[in-house]
Amino acid sequence: MRLKGKTAIVTGAGRGIGRAIAIGYAHEGARVVVNYSRSRDGAEETVRTIQAAGGEAFALEADVSRLQDHDHLISRAMEEFGAIDILVNNAGIEINEPVLESKPETWEATVDVNLKGAYFLACGVARVMARLGGGKIVNISSIHDVEPLRNRAVYSITKGGMLMMVKSLALELAGHNIHVNGISPGAILTDMNRKHLTEPARRDGLLARIPMKRIGDPEDIVGAAVFLASAESNYVTGTTIYVDGGLLLF
Ligand code: NAD
């Protein structure tokens, strides 16, 4: 068990990649705060899955885009588990919008969750980690942090920002024994994109560009997430691991 005795917060863990990471962390012995903003049923189901396997977890509502929710998230995690060793900034949204139809509301909503929420939550948790002697922060970005996605300009811009967030935080927090890294998934089948990725023409077009010849599952992200949260990555900081079946090679 590579995370035994550790406590993790995973944001947006009611479904998709966050859910898979929460379950994967618990499987490695971590106690998990399963954060959600809307997916309450999913978060409770994630907790039940963890508990049924003998793990410890609880569901906690907090909207990461609301900075006033961060104190509650951090203080409840501390009350319940007494430490925060790992933060996974997983919560994210993407809005389909051509550049020529761009609306300020799309910018604000996307930046508030994907960048501002992730950044200030990392800062708040890092203060706790610094006091406790260190920790691991893992940001879930996207291959679109380096490759633009048509009709998702704002999403791609926020993920590009996350790439620099990882490096900037890693540089300043290394002195506090806090490691900050990212994971950039390729095409992973989740509720975020199920309609898009299961449409036959799109799916076939995408598969033709993936050297590993399959669309990923949320569980494909867990190995990198465990590595970056565990002592195995103690000399790794400021980097981003691309988990994309080779999509970026194309
Ligand atoms: P998803 O939509 O299934 O899950 C995202 C979760 O985040 C949802 O449960 C949602 O309710 C939650 N969330 C959204 N806004 C929130 C907020 N303000 N506060 C708290 N939680 C909030 O999507 P997913 O595919 O599992 O995506 C997870 C992360 O992975 C995202 O950051 C996404 O950008 C990234 N990603 C996904 C893919 C993919 O192909 N699925 C590819 C690259 C990157």
Side-chain angles (χ1 to χ4, degrees):
M1 286 207 174
R2 287 173 288 173
L3 303 178
K4 197 158 179 50
K6 303 292 183 191
T7 292
I9 296 176
V10 184
T11 67
R15 64 184 211 188
I17 292 170
R19 175 183 188 277
I21 293 174
I23 293 170
Y25 278 4
H27 183 72
E28 292 291 338
R31 294 170 298 178
V32 186
V33 180
V34 176
N35 161 252
Y36 69 94
S37 61
R38 283 183 303 267
S39 323
R40 182 194 200 106
D41 290 350
E44 285 172 353
E45 197 271 326
T46 304
V47 169
R48 280 196 299 276
T49 303
I50 289 172
Q51 290 171 340
E56 267 185 84
F58 73 98
L60 184 54
E61 183 179 5
D63 177 341
V64 300
S65 72
R66 289 164 46 94
L67 303 191
Q68 61 270 37
D69 281 14
H70 292 186
D71 284 348
H72 174 63
L73 181 54
I74 292 168
S75 61
R76 281 289 293 119
M78 290 298 287
E79 268 166 38
E80 200 74 25
F81 292 143
I84 305 170
D85 305 292
I86 302 157
L87 167 67
V88 182
N89 266 321
N90 165 77
I93 60 168
E94 67 168 18
I95 296 170
N96 185 348
E97 183 184 78
V99 167
L100 294 183
E101 293 166 25
S102 270
K103 293 186 286 297
E105 302 85 69
T106 303
W107 176 276
E108 275 149 28
T110 312
V111 170
D112 279 0
V113 180
N114 297 8
L115 261 188
K116 192 170 104 180
Y119 176 75
F120 282 102
L121 185 58
C123 294
V125 169
R127 283 181 207 111
V128 174
M129 289 175 169
R131 215 173 58 232
L132 298 177
K136 305 270 190 177
I137 297 174
V138 181
N139 282 344
I140 307 300
S141 181
S142 164
I143 55 165
H144 301 299
D145 55 10
V146 290
E147 186 189 71
L149 179 60
R150 194 174 293 278
N151 294 332
R152 307 281 199 294
V154 179
Y155 176 76
S156 304
I157 291 165
T158 60
K159 295 301 188 179
M162 198 167 235
L163 195 63
M164 184 51 74
M165 186 202 302
V166 163
K167 295 181 189 188
S168 303
L169 294 181
L171 177 66
E172 271 192 57
L173 298 176
H176 297 280
N177 192 33
I178 299 170
H179 300 75
V180 186
N181 292 290
I183 297 173
S184 286
I188 307 293
L189 189 62
T190 68
D191 292 336
M192 183 183 262
N193 53 28
R194 195 171 307 279
K195 234 175 103 186
H196 189 74
L197 291 191
T198 49
E199 201 261 296
R202 279 188 212 282
R203 187 197 54 219
D204 294 348
L206 182 62
L207 280 175
R209 294 176 52 222
I210 302 177
M212 298 300 289
K213 292 291 168 232
R214 69 175 177 87
I215 289 169
D217 295 314
E219 289 69 27
D220 285 311
I221 306 302
V222 174
V226 170
F227 169 70
L228 291 177
S230 76
E232 289 174 4
S233 60
N234 276 355
Y235 202 54
V236 180
T237 199
T239 200
T240 291
I241 300 177
Y242 289 82
V243 183
D244 67 350
L247 181 53
L248 276 183
L249 300 172
F250 213 78

